[in-house]
Structure formats: structure tokens, C-alpha cells
């Protein structure tokens, strides 16, 4: 992996191409405004377009393969269904068993000299949002795009289940976090995540007592990062309240920072990334902040995964290094402007939407 830090000199970009977001429903998505803002800032003449479809169709794949397209985004319910139609998957897509980004990569051995490479930038949304917070906490430190803490430095936790949890687990693993604790009321969902990552130390926290036993001891690996991946609703059932009790126990677990390698960019305060962002300040984010954790709202992860997508489309390169800023296909000024635009956006009011998957030809 490259350790080349981002610079502020943009690399060449593609021009006058289309990108399609495929999924349904998608009329509420903020991605067109975000991505088209970036294209306008670059002056590239590219455009980001909605393709409303509840399944993978021949017409959608034909549009993505067309010469005037430089890539695509994929959302529910097609993130898994798209896998068989791609020429190649990145390690991130294989690890998470889902694709949200298609990059058209030059290849002499494929038809028309192009292969469709599927990757998952949701993982980069988590990873790069956490790394950005570390860089803001340690402005004098050099934290490269492939940074990871040495194993044994810190543990992490993910609250929730499903595809977002898998992306978060992979991101935390690449940051060197181990063990990674899973908080979820559905034991089968936890087991599915554990089976997806058989080589990782994934531990299911089922009670506040387990948290105390696992994190309260003098020699316990301290919890440095938590990612929340549950809906932003007030808990009403006993099992929902139990999740909040377990999370609270994690937030008050000891952080004996002085025992760790002080040459590392240790988080201070510790980092809580909440993937939900409606509302921006969720019930869980309020709890984490009240207990001394740095609050990172889900908008930051959405921004980071979107920046990663745009870099990849511009570079015709699906590597996570390019998605993280290697070769800087987006300057710092463009990233700053795009971030400010999204942070100030109101919710999108969806227009009427027709599911093309009902009439288009199956792939």
C-alpha cells in the first residue's frame, strides 16, 4: 500500500462523461447535488444521473458500459445483485460482499479495452471520516492514507448489523483495531458478520456486564473508536433499551491513554462515528458526546465515500489508495467546498419516481 500523502495539486480528470446511480427508490438522494457540484468545480463537463431501478437490468448495464459513461454508483436493493455482472471485484467489495461503486478501468484483455470493477466506498466513508478526525486532533502529525495503529493498541466496536456493519468492521480492521466488539440484539446477524470475517477477533457484547468484564480490567485493550449503525429512533422495547445500555457501558469504559505509545496519534477524545444522520444529532450521538467522546455525524461518512467515488471515476482506478487521495484527483479546495455544500444542504424533496426495473429487460 502506498504511503504517499495527499497534495493540493489535482491530477488530470475525465471530461464530458456520465455517471449513473442505480437503485430504487433514489429520488431522495443527495448524491446528484453533491457529485454534480464537484464536477462543476472541476469544470469537467461530467454529470451524475439517477437511474431508478429495483433490479439489475440490461438497459442499466448497457448504459454503464457505453463509451459516454465513466462509472456508476449502486444502491439498494442492487448492491449484492450487481456482483455477477462485474468483471472484477476489489478486496473491499469481496470483504463486504457488496458493491456501491463501479469503475471503468482500462484493460487490454476485455471487450472494448475496458473492464467493470466493483468496489465498496462505504468502507472508505467510515475509514476516512475517522482518519480525518484524527488528523484534525493531531494537526502536526503526518498521518498517511494507509495509516493503521499497531495491533494491540486499541479496540473498536460497531453498534448494529447488516451491510453497514460489515463496511465498518472492515474499516476498523484496516485501522489496526482489534478486537472489534459487535453490539446487536439479533444474534443471527452477529453470527453472519463473524462468518464473513473468520480471521478477525469479533466479540459479541450482549450485556453491560460483558462490557465491564471485557474492557474494565487493567490490562484490557482500550476502546478507541465506536461506529453506530442503527436507526436514529428512541428505543422503546426492552431489547432496544439494552443496546443503549451496552453502548453507554462502552462509552464509560476506561481509557488509560498514558499506558499507550505516545508517539502514535491517539484519539483524544475517543471517536464515535454515527452513520445515521437524520437527525444530525441522534439519540446515540448525544449519549456519546455527553460521555466525552468526539461526535462525528453520518454526513461526514457520506461525504468521504462520495469523494472516494469521484476520485476513482476521475482516475479510472478502483484502488482504495486513489479513493483516499493518492495522486489527488480532487484538490483540497474542491473537497473543502464540496464538504461545506453538503453540510449546509437541506433534505432533498423527492420528485415522483418510476421504477424502470418493472419494465426494462432483466440482465
Amino acid at each position: 500500500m502506498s504511503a504517499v500523502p495527499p497534495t493540493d495539486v489535482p491530477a488530470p480528470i475525465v471530461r464530458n462523461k456520465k455517471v449513473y446511480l442505480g437503485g430504487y427508490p433514489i429520488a431522495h438522494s443527495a448524491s446528484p447535488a453533491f457529485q454534480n457540484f464537484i464536477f462543476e468545480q472541476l469544470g469537467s463537463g461530467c454529470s451524475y444521473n439517477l437511474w431508478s431501478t429495483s433490479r439489475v437490468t440490461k438497459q442499466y448495464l448497457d448504459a454503464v458500459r457505453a463509451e459516454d459513461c465513466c462509472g456508476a454508483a449502486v444502491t439498494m436493493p442492487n448492491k449484492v445483485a450487481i456482483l455477477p455482472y462485474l468483471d472484477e471485484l476489489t478486496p473491499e467489495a469481496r470483504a463486504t460482499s457488496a458493491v456501491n461503486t463501479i469503475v471503468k478501468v482500462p484493460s487490454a484483455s476485455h471487450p472494448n479495452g475496458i473492464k467493470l470493477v466493483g468496489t465498496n466506498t462505504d468502507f472508505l466513508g467510515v475509514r476516512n471520516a475517522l482518519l480525518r478526525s484524527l488528523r484534525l486532533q493531531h494537526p502536526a502529525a503526518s498521518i498517511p492514507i494507509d495509516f493503521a495503529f499497531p495491533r494491540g493498541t486499541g479496540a473498536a466496536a460497531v453498534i448494529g448489523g447488516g451491510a453497514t456493519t460489515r463496511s465498518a468492521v472492515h474499516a476498523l480492521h484496516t485501522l489496526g483495531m482489534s478486537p472489534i466488539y459487535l453490539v446487536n440484539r439479533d444474534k443471527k446477524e452477529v453470527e453472519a458478520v463473524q462468518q464473513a470475517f473468520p480471521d478477525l477477533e469479533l466479540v459479541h457484547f450482549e450485556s453491560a456486564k460483558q462490557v465491564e468484564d471485557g474492557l474494565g480490567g487493567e490490562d484490557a485493550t482500550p476502546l478507541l473508536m465506536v461506529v453506530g449503525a442503527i436507526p436514529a429512533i428512541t428505543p422503546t422495547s426492552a431489547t432496544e433499551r439494552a443496546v443503549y445500555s451496552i453502548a453507554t457501558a462502552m462509552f464509560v469504559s476506561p481509557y488509560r491513554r498514558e499506558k499507550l505509545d505516545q508517539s502514535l496519534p491517539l484519539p483524544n477524545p475517543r471517536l464515535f462515528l454515527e452513520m445515521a444522520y437524520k437527525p444530525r444529532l441522534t439519540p446515540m450521538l448525544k449519549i456519546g458526546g455527553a460521555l466525552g467522546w468526539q461526535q462525528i455525524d453520518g454526513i461526514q461518512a457520506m461525504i468521504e465515500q462520495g469523494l472516494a467515488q469521484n476520485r476513482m471515476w476521475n482516475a479510472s482506478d478502483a484502488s482504495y489508495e486513489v479513493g483516499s487521495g493518492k495522486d489527488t484527483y480532487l484538490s483540497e479546495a474542491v473537497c473543502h467546498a464540496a464538504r461545506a455544500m453538503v453540510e449546509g444542504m437541506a433534505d432533498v424533496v423527492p420528485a415522483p419516481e418510476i421504477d424502470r426495473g418493472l419494465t426494462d429487460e432483466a440482465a
Side-chain angles (χ1 to χ4, degrees), residues 16-34:
N16 304 314
K17 300 288 187 179
K18 296 177 182 178
V19 174
Y20 295 103
L21 169 62
Y24 184 83
I26 54 175
H28 63 283
S29 174
S31 293
F34 175 55

Side-chain angles (χ1 to χ4, degrees), residues 210-242:
Q210 271 186 290
V211 176
E212 179 60 29
D213 292 342
L215 297 173
E218 283 286 333
D219 297 326
T221 302
L223 197 64
L224 301 187
M225 302 174 181
V226 175
V227 177
I230 60 174
I233 57 175
T234 302
T236 55
S237 69
T239 53
E240 289 172 347
R241 289 192 293 271

Side-chain angles (χ1 to χ4, degrees), residues 142-161:
S142 176
I143 303 177
I145 58 177
D146 63 349
F147 175 79
F149 286 99
R151 296 292 173 184
T153 300
V158 184
I159 306 167

Side-chain angles (χ1 to χ4, degrees), residues 21 47 77 112 129 140 162 182 325 333:
L21 169 62
S47 63
N112 302 318
L182 304 176

Side-chain angles (χ1 to χ4, degrees), residues 93-289:
R94 290 195 297 270
T96 57
S97 300
V99 159
N100 78 326
T101 305
I102 301 172
V103 183
K104 299 179 74 172
V105 178
S107 172
S109 61
H110 287 79
N112 302 318
I114 293 291
K115 61 182 176 181
L116 299 185
V117 179
T119 191
N120 188 320
T121 61
D122 289 334
F123 126 84
L124 280 178
V126 175
R127 177 182 165 84
N128 290 345
L130 292 168
L131 275 180
R132 181 172 182 268
S133 293
L134 278 180
R135 292 186 180 114
L136 291 173
Q137 288 187 359
H138 300 273
S142 176
I143 303 177
I145 58 177
D146 63 349
F147 175 79
F149 286 99
R151 296 292 173 184
T153 300
V158 184
I159 306 167
T164 302
T165 292
R166 294 188 185 202
S167 295
V169 165
H170 186 59
L172 293 166
H173 165 64
T174 65
L175 287 168
M177 298 293 99
S178 183
I180 298 173
Y181 299 102
L182 304 176
V183 180
N184 189 330
R185 55 184 176 165
D186 189 330
K187 199 165 187 174
K188 289 185 178 179
E189 285 190 359
V190 172
E191 290 171 352
V193 175
Q194 291 170 326
Q195 290 167 8
F197 298 95
D199 298 328
L200 303 190
E201 186 180 357
L202 303 180
V203 180
H204 187 194
F205 273 158
E206 299 182 75
S207 68
K209 183 181 184 305
Q210 271 186 290
V211 176
E212 179 60 29
D213 292 342
L215 297 173
E218 283 286 333
D219 297 326
T221 302
L223 197 64
L224 301 187
M225 302 174 181
V226 175
V227 177
I230 60 174
I233 57 175
T234 302
T236 55
S237 69
T239 53
E240 289 172 347
R241 289 192 293 271
V243 169
Y244 277 74
S245 297
I246 294 167
T248 300
M250 293 193 304
F251 289 138
V252 298
S253 64
Y255 184 26
R256 301 178 181 90
R257 191 166 175 267
E258 68 282 357
K259 292 188 175 183
L260 302 177
D261 183 350
Q262 299 302 302
S263 69
L264 296 171
L266 300 167
N268 189 27
R270 293 181 282 180
L271 306 178
F272 175 42
L273 169 61
E274 172 70 295
M275 296 299 285
Y277 52 86
K278 293 183 181 181
R280 298 278 177 99
L281 190 58
T282 67
M284 192 69 80
L285 203 56
K286 290 179 183 178
I287 294 171

Side-chain angles (χ1 to χ4, degrees), residues 84-98:
Y85 303 99
L86 303 174
D87 299 312
E88 188 177 303
L89 299 178
T90 64
E92 295 73 42
R94 290 195 297 270
T96 57
S97 300

